[in-house]
Amino acid sequence: MTLREQNVSQLASTTFDALVIGGGINGAASAAALAGKGARVALIDRGDFAGSTSMHSSNLVWGGIKYMESNDFGLVRKLCKSRNHLIKSYPSTVQEIRFLTTITKGFRHSPRYLWAGTWLYWLMGNGFTKRPRLLAPKHIKHEEPIINIDRSIGGFEYSDAYLHDNDARFVFNFIRHALDFGATAANYVESLGAQRKDGVWVTKARNTMDGSTFEIRAKVLINAAGPWVDHHNELTGEQTSHQHLYSKGIHLIVPQLTDSKRVLAFFADDGRLFFVIPMGNRTCIGTTDTHMDHPDAVVTQEDIDFVLDNINKRLTLDKPLTPSDIISTRCGVRPLAVESDQGSDRDFLQLSRKHVIDTNIDNAHISIFGGKLTDCLNVGDEISDALLALGITLPKPDFHWYGEPALPIKQQFMAQAKRMDLDSMTAPTSSEPLSIRLWRRYADKAFAMLEQIEKDPSQGALLIEGTEYIRVELEHARDHEMITELEDFLRRRSKISLVVDQEQLRHSEGLKQACRVLFGEQAEQRLATYFDNRVNTAQPEALQA
């Protein structure tokens, strides 16, 4: 019986302190915090963990410098502190990165004015990062030759942070923590709605893999369904003081444009922030900010034209980027929290990504609105406080539920890896030594991988061409990461489908081997299903070529 099958069977046989609906960053952090503090927690998601907004971010962990323009200084201060806390808690994953911003003639503010703003931003972050710099156009060109400075009047450089790995992987590690702390979590389990009966929430759930239905009982219901929070509240008849507006954002993944390991930031033609973000040996470009009336978003030709047009104006590339350069796309909606009586006519461009914990004390129901990766630790702690206020006992209220293992454990891992000469096995195409990569992705769980590689060196061999994934990682994923569909691995436990062209994957012998590791006798079927779904997914003609 697989890990997922075990957990699905447990969902119907236990009365939980809390059931979390949704496995994005809000739900994952909530489940990890509650389980770590000793609560009996269940988490379900109708798709895979981090299967929506949480896998479509810019991979940035930032203090929200753009919110300073709307004078939301309290939020900026809070997010800067949250960013700093994440850098300290996850030093292998959340790392400081420099942002180089170019200002062109006619922009609404001068470079010096904005540079002064970056100093205020730096001070609001307690001077935790490197200091800002003011740059003349010639200095911008010297440091980043690909930037077009024809209309530049200067720029500046400041620091924020980014996720060294992908966002969905970061979210899954909270799910993994929750499981380690005793939570029961399962992907591909859909909530069909819930009712309050005799002081307990009874949620009708459906296993989307086989269609079977069952009931899950919990004292508290936590709606962390991301963009679908409002929809699930309708299913349960729950009235809340907040609701969501939606803003669509897309990114294009293209071949690496610069190896400088910094984010290039511009203001697009419409005045919105626009980024060129490093992604290993690829580059991520975006984002858009388009109002949506619903959370179901797709990439349109207009989106692609907007991104390509803006980037080609701002860079001096040997050859302008065209749709044929696009390796993959990311597309999701930002759920923006507003008060229910404010309606949907708000200027969503002025709305922040703040989160709101909306609690109905009378029936022990909690809805989490808004939010972003940067603020995830606060969400977990606030949900814990909310459960205490609802009368749920947390046996270990002061438990430290997040962060990497202590430094001596990392040093022990690195010493063992050095003794094995592990880094000599690093593939020439890899972006970092194997020891660093295994620790960053798996922390103390990577000790078992070292033992397997030591017993059988073939476990350290690269398995999928054009990636950095070795055989032992695939076996770990199969046994411990609840991979149910091939896309779960290719898109969320890893970022392979983001950085490797689909045609290359389609003909990859290594991927076929990986499928055999992950799915055994079902390998060919899962592989065929994955590529059939890719063909049937509606995309602009430019991406179907």
Side-chain angles (χ1 to χ4, degrees), residues 282-298:
R282 299 287 185 257
T283 295
C284 177
I285 309 169
T287 175
T288 58
D289 209 347
T290 310
H291 177 65
M292 297 285 292
D293 294 323
H294 54 80
D296 299 305
V298 296

Side-chain angles (χ1 to χ4, degrees), residues 18 31 84 97 103 117 167 202 206 245 248 264-265 300 388 403 405 461 492 498 503-504 508 510 512:
N84 297 349
I97 192 170
I103 306 302
D167 44 11
V202 180
R206 182 172 72 93
L245 297 183
K248 181 177 75 169
L264 307 184
T300 66
L388 286 171
R492 288 176 286 275
L498 280 177
E503 279 306 302
Q504 182 179 340
S508 168
K512 294 176 183 178

Side-chain angles (χ1 to χ4, degrees), residues 89-94 177 402-407 410 439-440 443:
S89 300
Y90 295 95
S92 300
T93 302
V94 183
H177 283 317
Y402 55 84
E404 291 182 20
L407 182 58
K410 179 180 180 179
W439 175 262
R440 176 173 50 77

Side-chain angles (χ1 to χ4, degrees), residues 304-491:
I304 293 172
D305 292 343
F306 173 86
V307 175
L308 292 179
D309 182 54
N310 274 279
I311 198 59
N312 285 325
K313 288 179 181 178
R314 287 157 178 81
L315 300 181
T316 55
L317 302 172
D318 293 336
K319 177 186 174 185
L321 290 173
T322 68
S324 64
D325 294 305
I326 300 171
I327 298 168
S328 63
T329 65
R330 318 178 81 172
C331 176
V333 295
R334 308 170 186 90
L336 305 171
V338 297
E339 294 182 12
S340 295
D341 58 5
Q342 292 180 333
S344 60
D345 57 351
R346 293 285 307 280
D347 180 3
F348 75 98
L349 293 177
Q350 297 299 317
L351 293 174
S352 72
R353 297 287 302 279
K354 68 179 180 181
H355 71 266
V356 176
I357 308 297
D358 193 315
T359 303
N360 186 329
I361 296 176
D362 294 335
N363 63 4
H365 185 281
I366 300 172
S367 299
I368 308 176
F369 291 93
K372 57 188 297 179
L373 292 169
T374 309
D375 218 17
C376 61
L377 302 186
N378 289 327
V379 170
D381 284 334
E382 290 172 29
I383 288 295
S384 300
D385 292 341
L387 249 70
L388 286 171
L390 291 172
I392 303 298
T393 300
L394 300 180
K396 299 179 288 184
D398 299 323
F399 181 79
H400 190 75
W401 56 274
Y402 55 84
E404 291 182 20
L407 182 58
I409 299 176
K410 179 180 180 179
Q411 292 172 335
Q412 180 185 351
F413 174 83
M414 291 300 176
Q416 185 173 340
K418 184 177 181 179
R419 177 179 58 79
M420 293 171 52
D421 196 19
L422 180 71
D423 289 343
S424 67
M425 304 176 69
T426 305
T429 54
S430 295
S431 61
E432 60 188 342
L434 190 52
S435 60
I436 293 176
R437 184 174 178 282
L438 291 182
W439 175 262
R440 176 173 50 77
R441 289 180 61 83
Y442 307 103
D444 51 350
K445 288 183 170 51
F447 279 103
M449 296 184 182
L450 294 185
E451 293 175 3
Q452 288 177 267
I453 294 171
E454 195 163 27
K455 291 178 182 177
D456 179 5
S458 68
Q459 290 290 327
L462 199 68
L463 193 57
I464 305 175
E465 309 90 330
T467 75
E468 301 183 34
Y469 291 84
I470 59 177
R471 179 176 292 275
V472 73
E473 291 181 83
L474 271 295
E475 296 189 358
H476 176 87
R478 176 194 63 203
D479 297 336
H480 302 287
E481 296 191 347
M482 221 173 292
I483 291 172
T484 307
E485 299 285 4
L486 180 55
E487 187 182 13
D488 302 342
F489 171 70
L490 290 178
R491 179 62 179 82

Side-chain angles (χ1 to χ4, degrees), residues 62-352:
W62 63 317
I65 192 171
K66 73 172 185 176
Y67 304 142
M68 293 177 65
E69 192 170 14
S70 56
N71 299 320
D72 203 345
F73 297 113
L75 178 63
V76 173
R77 167 73 171 159
K78 181 181 179 182
L79 290 176
C80 281
K81 291 170 66 178
S82 299
R83 174 204 64 197
N84 297 349
H85 194 34
L86 281 173
I87 292 173
K88 289 185 288 187
S89 300
Y90 295 95
S92 300
T93 302
V94 183
Q95 300 172 346
E96 181 177 349
I97 192 170
R98 298 296 272 176
F99 283 63
L100 195 161
T101 305
T102 304
I103 306 302
T104 56
K105 295 175 184 177
F107 189 66
R108 59 185 181 270
H109 299 301
S110 70
R112 287 187 177 275
Y113 178 85
L114 294 170
W115 174 63
T118 64
W119 275 94
L120 177 58
Y121 187 64
W122 181 76
L123 290 170
M124 293 176 76
N126 295 334
F128 183 81
T129 59
K130 296 178 183 176
R131 295 179 180 182
R133 292 194 301 153
L134 181 65
L135 299 170
K138 65 179 181 180
H139 294 135
I140 293 174
K141 193 66 174 178
H142 174 73
E143 298 204 11
E144 283 291 348
I146 67 169
I147 293 180
N148 184 347
I149 62 168
D150 289 348
R151 298 187 66 248
S152 172
I153 56 174
F156 53 89
E157 188 180 63
Y158 69 99
S159 288
D160 256 314
Y162 82 123
L163 292 171
H164 193 95
D165 210 337
N166 64 326
D167 44 11
R169 179 76 204 184
F170 183 68
V171 173
F172 178 76
N173 283 337
F174 283 103
I175 299 287
R176 186 65 256 176
H177 283 317
L179 291 167
D180 291 343
F181 297 149
T184 301
N187 50 2
Y188 297 96
V189 175
E190 179 182 12
S191 168
L192 303 177
Q195 291 182 320
R196 187 81 173 166
K197 297 179 181 178
D198 300 323
V200 173
W201 281 101
V202 180
T203 300
K204 186 175 181 180
R206 182 172 72 93
N207 182 343
T208 64
M209 300 306 296
D210 62 14
S212 61
T213 60
F214 54 94
E215 293 181 341
I216 307 172
R217 288 171 167 75
K219 299 174 184 177
V220 178
L221 188 63
I222 301 174
N223 181 358
W228 291 275
V229 163
D230 296 304
H231 172 70
H232 195 270
N233 283 337
E234 290 178 6
L235 291 179
T236 60
E238 188 67 24
Q239 300 294 317
T240 59
S241 59
H242 288 79
Q243 64 180 22
H244 275 145
L245 297 183
Y246 308 105
S247 169
K248 181 177 75 169
I250 78 140
H251 298 85
L252 307 181
I253 312 301
V254 299
Q256 189 176 36
L257 301 179
T258 174
D259 60 0
S260 66
K261 301 290 191 281
R262 60 157 66 93
V263 176
L264 307 184
F266 305 94
F267 289 92
D269 290 345
D270 59 7
R272 290 175 286 182
L273 273 172
F274 188 81
F275 299 115
V276 175
I277 304 166
M279 184 180 279
N281 60 357
R282 299 287 185 257
T283 295
C284 177
I285 309 169
T287 175
T288 58
D289 209 347
T290 310
H291 177 65
M292 297 285 292
D293 294 323
H294 54 80
D296 299 305
V298 296
V299 179
T300 66
Q301 191 63 53
E302 183 180 3
D303 295 328
I304 293 172
D305 292 343
F306 173 86
V307 175
L308 292 179
D309 182 54
N310 274 279
I311 198 59
N312 285 325
K313 288 179 181 178
R314 287 157 178 81
L315 300 181
T316 55
L317 302 172
D318 293 336
K319 177 186 174 185
L321 290 173
T322 68
S324 64
D325 294 305
I326 300 171
I327 298 168
S328 63
T329 65
R330 318 178 81 172
C331 176
V333 295
R334 308 170 186 90
L336 305 171
V338 297
E339 294 182 12
S340 295
D341 58 5
Q342 292 180 333
S344 60
D345 57 351
R346 293 285 307 280
D347 180 3
F348 75 98
L349 293 177
Q350 297 299 317
L351 293 174
S352 72

